[in-house]
Each structure stands twice: as C-alpha cells, then as structure tokens.
Amino acid sequence: MNKTLMRFASAWLVLAVMANAAAVVGAFARSTSFYSGISGALSIYNPFDITNLLTQIALFLPIFVALYWRNSRIERPTA
C-alpha cells in the first residue's frame, strides 16, 4: 500500500506539472506577440487572483494527502 501511495503521488505530480505547462503553452499559443504571451502566463500565476490560487491548491492537494497517509502508515506500529 505504501508503494501504491507513493506511485500515486508521483503520477499526480507529473500530471499537475504537465497541466501547468499546458496552461503556459496555451497562453503563448493564443497570444499575438511574445510579450502578450508573457503577460498571459503571468496572469495565470497572479498571486492576487484567488481563483487560480484555489485551483492550484486543489490540484496539488491529493499529493500531500497521499504522502501524509503514507507517512502515517509507516510511523504506525504494527501489532
């Protein structure tokens, strides 16, 4: 079970990074110039946009839950 939780966390991390990379590439793809692409990418990760912040937290939360669950299983003594 511990190995499965670690694999899940690793796979979810890869998918989350790929989703973020796709968002940045999409910002550049829909822009008309390099600077508007930079502006679009920066608007995705704007720290004052609470919607994107909550989306990123929801995206990465399963990783932390799986790692916490794995660590609690490791620390628990077996009888």
Side-chain angles (χ1 to χ4, degrees):
M1 180 75 172
N2 294 337
K3 219 180 245 191
T4 304
L5 286 170
M6 195 62 190
R7 285 180 183 163
F8 171 78
S10 299
W12 196 272
L13 179 64
V14 168
L15 291 173
V17 168
M18 287 174 54
N20 278 302
V24 171
V25 168
F28 276 99
R30 70 175 176 255
S31 67
T32 57
S33 68
F34 178 75
Y35 292 110
S36 66
I38 293 285
S39 175
L42 289 176
S43 71
I44 293 171
Y45 298 108
N46 184 0
F48 301 111
D49 188 3
I50 193 69
T51 305
N52 287 335
L53 176 66
L54 292 176
T55 304
Q56 292 295 321
I57 290 172
L59 180 64
F60 286 100
L61 188 64
I63 298 168
F64 295 118
V65 170
L67 292 177
Y68 177 77
W69 189 11
R70 179 184 168 266
N71 289 337
S72 67
R73 287 179 50 85
I74 289 173
E75 294 171 357
R76 185 177 353 149
T78 56

